[in-house]
Amino acid sequence: MCRNLSKYTLIFLFLALSGLIFLLRNIHTVENWNCHTISTLYQLQSRIQSSFIPVNLPTFYHNRTFCAHLGQKPSPEDEVEERYLLDSISWPGPPSHSSPPTLRQTSDPVHSLFAILPTKEGREWHVGDQLEALVQMHDFLGRPKRYGGDFLLARLHSPELGAGVAGRVVDHRNGFYSALFPLLWVGTAQVEVIMVHSSEAVAVLRRLREERPDRVFFKSLFRLGFLSETTVCNMCLPPDQHPLCNYTDLYTGEPWYCYKPKMLSCDTRINHAKGGYLKHLITNKEALLFQSGVNIKVQIHASGPDKISVLPRKDKVEEENSSINPEDTQLEASGYYYEDSWRPLGGVTMRQFNQSSAIAQCLQNKVINMYGDSTVRQWFEYLIAFVPELKEFNLHSPKNVGPFMAVDSTHNILLKYRCHGPPIRFTTVMSSELRYISNELDGLAGGANTVVVLSIWAHFSTFPVEVYIRRLRHIRRALVRLLDRAPETLVVIRSANLQALDQEVSLYNSDWYSLQLDMVLRAMFKGLNVLVVDAWQMTSAHHHPHALHPPPAIVKNMIDMLLSYVCPENTKSQ
């Protein structure tokens, strides 16, 4: 018995010693196998977690200055400009109450009315006159409102003529509003007034913009070998919850941060993507202020006639005796539609580019650089679809993200599109493709054959306006440098436009946010040698429903406007 036991013991010891020797000789292989096994298991675990468990979102401090002053501190001159811009877009709000108003106390477009005011002389209407409609807002109980702050849109249009012009709304801050229109065509003209948001809803939107810039969150994938992690990113993140990866741009100082992965370094970031939209941002009581068909983009009806007949322009003698100042008749209108074609005011002649050959001839020998959001990418897509000679070069870029490039070798045309840097709510953008517009502009030589097209607004609606001002300031400085070294460079800016709204879209991308940003954009580029395609008025004046990406009929007019800048009427034959 003892002999057998000692025999088995010797065999066991021999096997154990052999295994130890094998392990020592192949330890590197085992370690490598172990690392890959752990990485694979961790990757599988991460995928399972990302499928069923949302990314941990930071607890955000409700501090209105939290985002605005990250990055480089503005100079005293920049602070003065910022204060001026913020004052210029200040919006009247409802009076402060001890408790929020009930829905019945808020503005109701159904109970509200407007009336067309007669001319001062009580005479007929003529082209060149000014039309005024007086709007009186009431609450859901039918009582007149005593304060302003409602967001109204006004349009004068003629369906039979395919005509339309955006009106200017003046808030008298007492429940009354004036909608002012220039009379620009002969025939019928019908007034349309829409309440986009009540003053009480605007107050909620303003609070969200200042206190919840995190309501759209972003994420980035970090990867090294088989190991990958996803973390939350944004322009501003609470720094005391997790270590941060700082991706602030070295040239502009534009801030961007991600939470540092637990097992990977910051330089393993692969991409950038929209993470999602935070829910439950408002109370049930506040949600009643954002009801489609009730108090979001609902038409206000007239108390009497809503149409007038416009006669031809008066002769010069009558015009001199009229009390209407001709300088006041345009009322800030940049143009109007007639026969569904946009007719700009202010000296630019709109050309019609109905044939692809006309576009190719206009863009011959040009390099067109488009930078911005999806609303200018829509222009790129229109051009390559309409002009068969423009062949898209496959850069293997993600769909709807880019960068994109198209070439017409016959006419020597190069068309390029690149999205702007973060914040950008696209599906997935590779980190290497995240570029700030100002840096891209600094890389352009410019010249008479260079066209720059910019559109940057839609992805900034969830941030305080100071963030947008800072971004435009960097772009403006880069444009000044570009125009200094190449004054013949053509720069065209596409403005913001109206879009379809429901409750969810309103909290993130309301037209009120877009209007505020658009006013800032126009003010900051005023006086610079840049041209504007007024997408705001082109969508406001048209009969098509509002859409973030306007329908082809409107886009065609925008492209015709762009090309009319590139190839003005007096040079079309050259």
Side-chain angles (χ1 to χ4, degrees), residues 434-551:
L434 287 174
R435 313 281 180 84
Y436 289 95
I437 291 177
S438 54
N439 295 341
E440 293 296 297
L441 294 175
D442 282 337
L444 295 179
N449 292 322
T450 300
V451 180
V452 174
V453 184
L454 306 177
S455 179
I456 178 167
W457 57 276
H459 298 255
F460 286 81
S461 57
T462 56
F463 292 93
V465 179
E466 294 92 334
V467 170
Y468 187 62
I469 292 173
R470 181 179 59 209
R471 181 63 58 89
L472 292 189
R473 186 179 292 129
H474 294 313
I475 294 173
R476 184 177 61 187
R477 288 170 179 164
L479 283 177
V480 169
R481 291 190 291 268
L482 173 61
L483 293 172
D484 281 346
R485 66 177 177 270
E488 294 180 316
T489 305
L490 180 68
V491 180
V492 180
I493 297 179
R494 182 200 189 280
S495 77
N497 61 261
L498 297 159
Q499 59 184 296
L501 297 180
D502 56 19
Q503 181 180 110
E504 184 173 2
V505 176
S506 295
L507 300 183
Y508 308 100
N509 256 37
S510 167
D511 286 340
W512 183 77
Y513 293 136
S514 302
L515 173 63
Q516 295 256 290
L517 298 181
D518 193 53
M519 293 169 67
V520 167
L521 180 141
R522 294 169 191 267
M524 291 191 69
F525 288 98
K526 187 177 182 179
L528 203 61
N529 188 22
V530 300
L531 300 168
V532 175
V533 174
D534 197 336
W536 185 271
Q537 291 197 24
M538 295 178 85
T539 51
S540 177
H542 205 277
H543 59 81
H544 276 305
H546 301 157
L548 175 61
H549 299 109

Side-chain angles (χ1 to χ4, degrees), residues 282-322:
I282 56 177
T283 66
N284 292 335
K285 193 173 184 179
E286 290 173 333
L288 297 175
L289 302 174
F290 300 93
Q291 301 181 70
S292 297
V294 177
N295 46 21
I296 296 179
K297 287 202 173 179
V298 177
Q299 189 169 341
I300 296 172
H301 293 287
S303 59
D306 61 356
K307 294 181 182 178
I308 63 168
S309 293
V310 183
L311 301 176
R313 185 182 294 273
K314 296 173 295 183
D315 59 43
K316 291 184 178 181
V317 175
E318 287 184 278
E319 193 166 317
E320 289 174 358
N321 295 330
S322 171

